[in-house]
Amino acid sequence: RAALRCDALGRWVVHVIRTIMRVLLTGGMGFIGSHTAVSLLEAGHEPILYDNLSNADRSVVDRIGRITGHTPTFIEGDIRDGALLKQVLRNEHIEAVIHFAGLKAVGESVGKPLEYFDNNVSGTIKLLEAMRSVGVKRLIFSSSSTVYGTPQHLPLTEAEPTGEATNPYGRTKIHIEEILADLCRSDSEWSVVCLRYFNPIGAHPSGLIGEDPNGIPNNLLPYIARVASGRLPYLNVFGNDYDTPDGTGVRDFIHVVDLAQGHTDALPYAVSHTGWIAVNLGCGRGYSVLEVVKAFEDASGRRIPLHFAPRRAGDIAANWCDPTLALKLFGWKAKFGIEDMCRDSWHFESLLKTECETR
C-alpha cells in the first residue's frame, strides 16, 4: 500500500509539473519556438516568449493565442543582453528555460562565422550567467544533428562521437554542448537536456504559424513552398552527385509539431533529473531532396521546377537518427510522416500568400 501511495503521489507530482511550469522560451517567436509555445500551452504550462524579432514577426503572439485560446507574454530582447535576461527571469518567476535563440543557416554560417559564434555561443553564456545569478538551473537546449559531423554509421545514436562538425553553425552547437556539460560537472544542481534536432519542417495544421523566414529561405521546405506558390521561380538543388539512391542529400525530416511536443515531453525529465544529457529528436528514417519535392508536388498539386547546382559548402550526403532514447526517457515518438509535413507546409504557405495579396 505504501508503494501504491508513493506511485500515486509521483503521478500527482508529475501532473502538477506538467500544468504549472513558467518557462522562458528564448527565440520563442521563431519557427520551432512558436510551435513549442503552442505545445506548452496545450499541456497547461505558461510560456514566456523572448525574441529580438530578427527573423520573426510580432503577429506570431496573436496567432498562438488564436490556436490555443491563451495569448502568451512576449518580451522583445536580444539573447546577448544579460541585464534584461536577468530582469525577465526574476520578474516573470521563471522556473525553466528552453533555449532556441540563435542563428541557424548552415550555408550562411560558412560566410559569417564571427556573427554565428557571437550570437550563438556568446549569447548562450549571457543566458547561463543570468540563470545562475537568479537560481534558475533547468535548461532544455536546442541543439542539432550537425554536432555529429560526417556520419560514420547510420542511424546515428547519441553514442556517436561529436566534435567534427563540417560548418561553423554546427561548431557553435558543439561548443555550447561542451559548455553546458562543463557547467553541470561544476555544479550538481544544474539540469540540462540537449535535444539534437534532425531537420524540422512542416507547419501547424491550422495554417496560422509555420516557417516564414525574412528574405530568401535557407531551408528546404519554405523554399519549395515559395516555388509552389509562385513567389520563387525554381528550387536550387545543391548537389545531385552524392552517394545516395538518387544523388541528392538525404535527411531525417521531422514535423515541427512532433519536435515541439518533444520539448514538452522533455520538461518533466529536466525537472526530475540533474546533470547533462543529449537526446536525438527525429523520425528515424531518411528522405532525399527529390523525395521531398515529389511529396510536396503531391500535396500541393503544383509542379516544382528544379535547378541543379554544385554542392553547398558544409553539407553532407546523408544523416538520420535512432530516436529510441527519447522514447525511453520522455515517452516521445514522432507521429507524422512526410505527407503530413508537406500538406501542412503547403496549407501555411497558401494562407500566407492570400494574406499578402489582400494587404
Side-chain angles (χ1 to χ4, degrees), residues 132-154:
R132 183 178 60 182
S133 71
V134 299
V136 178
K137 297 184 178 182
R138 298 170 181 143
L139 177 72
I140 296 174
F141 172 57
S142 170
S143 191
S144 167
S145 63
T146 58
V147 301
Y148 294 115
T150 303
Q152 301 303 309
H153 306 93
L154 291 171

Side-chain angles (χ1 to χ4, degrees), residues 150-163:
T150 303
Q152 301 303 309
H153 306 93
L154 291 171
L156 288 161
T157 71
E158 293 83 358
E160 292 295 322
T162 62

